[in-house]
Amino acid sequence: MLINGHRLTRCCRTLLNSVQVARGTIGLQRMVQPGGSVAVPFRGKKDETRLFTPIPIRPNPDDINVGAELTGTLDKAEMLKVILKFSNRKEIKFLCLENGIDSNLQQQAFVSFRKYCLETDALPADLHVVLSDILQGAGHVDDIFPYFLRHVKQIFPHLECMDDLKKISDLRQPANWYPSARGMNRKVIFHSGPTNSGKTYHAMERFLTAKSGVYCGPLKLLASEVYNKSNQRGTACDLVTGEERKFANPDGKPSAHVACTVEMTSINTPYEVAVIDEIQLLKDVGRGWAWTRAFLGLMAEEIHVCGEPGTVDLLQKLCETTHESLEVRNYKRLTPLHIEDQALQSLDNVLPGDCIVCFSKNDIYAVSREIEARGREVAVIYGGLPPGTKLAQAAKFNDPDNSCKVLVATDAIGMGLNLSIRRVIFYSMIKPTMNQKGEKEMDTISVSAALQIAGRAGRYGMKWDEGYVTTFKAEDLSTLRGILSQTPEPLTQAGLHPTADMIELYAYHLPNATLSNLMEIFVSLSTVDDSLYFMCNTEDFKFLAETIQHVPLPLRARYIFCCAPINRNMPFVCSMFLKYARRYSRNEPVTFDWLCNQCGWPFQLPRTIIDLVHLEAVFDVLDLYLWLSYRFPDLFPDEKLVRDIQRELDDIIQQGVFQITKLLKNSETAVSTNTPDEDAFVMRQKKSKYYREGGTPGSAGGTRGRLTERLLAQGLLTPAMLQELKHEWDQQAKRSGRGSGGDGDADDDPFDGGKKGPGRRKGGGVGGGGGRKIK
């Protein structure tokens, strides 16, 4: 009877299309090496499979338990013993490796399979029958493997398409991505030279005389300058940046010439001449891919690239991949640059035409205040300022009739602004940089950056015929001499970045993966020719992808949102980014009225540095709106109105920067005892997250509530203001006979950027949310 029962089960296996394969021959592709050893193939890079997370398999409650009808129910306790024995066998682990299931996946797979078998009421009939055979002693534990493998491929779908994924992320020949450019006989000319050598001037002369052309620059300011100069010279030129479109023709008809930021370069439009400025930024860990794309993909008869001499070898190698020749034109600096024998040592020694270069906002604030305390007027330029404010500060410093003769700036002056600087003074030689992993590092300024900044002194055609450079600290002077005596290290690699089409193909194969996970898997599986290219940092992209992961968006729209140029260290900007995405997902237009309510319009003059920094963040929020309005015009419809209030905000920020010393004093006496910088914003965000996720409200302040702690963490509420508020509450409590309090935070955003309107403080409280205030 037992024998007949086993025959019946084997017949049932055949009827159910069992996928059982004889033990020991399952999926084996063994490679016998000399000496008889067996090689286990390893798929991809080391530990790449750690990025893959298992998809939960949910049983269907409507499934009929056919296996139980054939062989009876299974003893769960005995079945657990069998599965544990199966998962501990060395032969099974070896078979897993041969089927692409490495140790990272095996542990997850065994746990998932065990849980599936024990918790599912209706197992697949073939698996049920095999387990029944094993429990009755008529089968071997290894017979489970085909069904285990089937389960693993369900929870890890990449196992079925790993080869396809690797083909998609094969980036070894990016020159072949641009067949239209490869079909042209392009002439590539490299204008090589240091800062202030006239290399860009000669390239631009060819641009202006061509029948059609495109200028690709690193900054909006440079693109705007080319746009203005071209039209002044009589060459109709349009402007295209991420946030702006301007046409030379009043009717909006495109011109033959375009000035654009490098990311906005069209690789589908034919031109006679293309100019790619600051080509050495191929090496930039965040944006280098844009220069690589422009260099390889532009459809132009002549490609004029301008940059540092150290780029020539890399360009030569890139031209070999495109089967093009490279013509090099070398230029020398037009005015002499001298390294002074003495450091500045004291701000008392500042002279007209001096520019003190700092690498943090705190240093900018401290130096500008100290100089103005000595009765000298200061112009201030740093990266967070709007373009209009930078230009206004530059014009103030350059104006010979203006009393402002000293400039305090960050390395933002390295490109994009024409400044009449006589002497550059390095306040410090230590500069924060971002490595390829997206991590912040503090290191001595690079040779390339030092030459770029120092070269701003004694600019040809400006007031000073010679340039000078020194340091603030005497101990830094020898370091500066050593750096400026060197030539920049030759560039060896150009940046690459996955396109939206590549990520869409990944999503097709891995439909359950998040966008952040898709990007991480892509980078892990990507194959790059390390002798020429590197993968650009994707941390900002993944950060934004994780921020809006819970927001239901189509993949293409999600990808576009995550490409937005955002400083992730600014919580208010990140908060508004999330709100934009939410409204887009609900198909709700992001209107001018809604935006004004969020940003606290009408704006008021900043009273403190905190206010000024917040206004800079609001400006970035408006920039983000404009950036999105050109990609989703239907849901971001009020581009013109937003641009109007952005101009208004730029004027207000300009006025704030003009009186920056007064803001610093107010920060110390009236509102804040510290000044913000990028690191401070990150710290506030971490504190905010702590209080939001269950920090003890009374741990830092006795009876303080979560909102109070949040405002303190963000720097929007100081102990002095808190005492004033407490006094008001006590007075109100005495009048009403009861205490009062409020929690004005009704938003569920994961950032506490809030809706802060500078100047909206009343009675010592902090304004927020379109007029809400703490009472």
Side-chain angles (χ1 to χ4, degrees), residues 264-491:
M264 300 304 296
T265 302
S266 171
I267 57 172
N268 301 313
T269 306
Y271 301 101
E272 182 183 351
V273 171
V275 176
I276 307 175
D277 207 357
E278 305 293 352
I279 190 63
Q280 71 275 4
L281 291 177
L282 281 165
K283 65 180 179 181
D284 188 87
V285 296
R287 300 175 64 202
W289 62 270
W291 276 265
T292 306
R293 172 179 173 270
F295 184 77
L296 297 177
L298 268 167
M299 296 173 58
E301 298 171 21
E302 293 181 21
I303 307 287
H304 292 257
V305 293
C306 310
E308 297 175 355
T311 318
V312 64
D313 290 340
L314 177 58
L315 293 180
Q316 187 69 59
K317 292 177 181 178
L318 293 178
C319 284
E320 290 175 6
T321 68
T322 61
H323 305 290
E324 295 165 339
S325 60
L326 180 68
E327 176 186 339
V328 181
R329 299 178 184 175
N330 293 303
Y331 301 84
K332 294 182 178 180
R333 184 177 169 86
L334 298 174
T335 57
L337 179 65
H338 308 284
I339 303 176
E340 294 190 333
D341 296 329
Q342 300 292 328
L344 190 69
Q345 294 189 317
S346 170
L347 294 177
D348 293 327
N349 300 325
V350 169
L351 299 173
D354 280 353
C355 172
I356 302 178
V357 177
C358 307
F359 296 121
S360 77
K361 279 188 180 179
N362 276 337
D363 287 345
I364 287 278
Y365 298 145
V367 170
S368 58
R369 181 173 181 180
E370 287 296 319
I371 293 176
E372 291 204 344
R374 289 164 168 76
R376 294 176 177 270
E377 194 172 346
V378 175
V380 176
I381 296 175
Y382 53 87
L385 293 176
T389 303
K390 290 179 185 174
L391 290 172
Q393 291 289 298
K396 173 185 174 183
F397 174 71
N398 290 338
D399 186 356
D401 298 326
N402 195 295
S403 58
C404 175
K405 302 299 181 186
V406 179
L407 175 64
V408 180
T410 62
D411 52 341
I413 64 165
M415 61 182 73
L417 290 169
N418 290 318
L419 296 163
S420 183
I421 299 173
R422 175 185 173 272
R423 178 172 61 171
V424 167
I425 302 159
F426 286 88
Y427 191 70
S428 169
M429 298 302 294
I430 304 297
K431 180 180 184 297
T433 57
M434 199 71 69
N435 63 23
Q436 290 192 15
K437 297 179 180 179
E439 299 165 339
K440 197 172 184 180
E441 297 178 342
M442 301 296 291
D443 201 357
T444 304
I445 186 173
S446 68
V447 175
S448 175
L451 289 170
Q452 186 83 19
I453 296 168
R456 307 303 291 181
R459 191 165 182 81
Y460 181 77
M462 303 295 281
K463 180 179 179 180
W464 310 103
D465 295 330
E466 297 186 22
Y468 298 87
V469 59
T470 187
T471 59
F472 180 78
K473 301 174 185 175
E475 59 267 28
D476 287 340
L477 191 55
S478 59
T479 303
L480 178 65
R481 287 182 180 278
I483 290 175
L484 295 184
S485 66
Q486 303 175 43
T487 56
E489 290 187 8
L491 269 65

Side-chain angles (χ1 to χ4, degrees), residues 2 117 127 404 494 570 618 713:
L2 181 62
C117 291
L127 174 59
C404 175
M570 302 294 282
V618 173

Side-chain angles (χ1 to χ4, degrees), residues 729-741:
W729 289 334
D730 291 342
Q731 293 297 322
Q732 183 178 352
K734 290 177 182 178
R735 289 194 300 268
S736 62
R738 57 181 176 84
S740 65

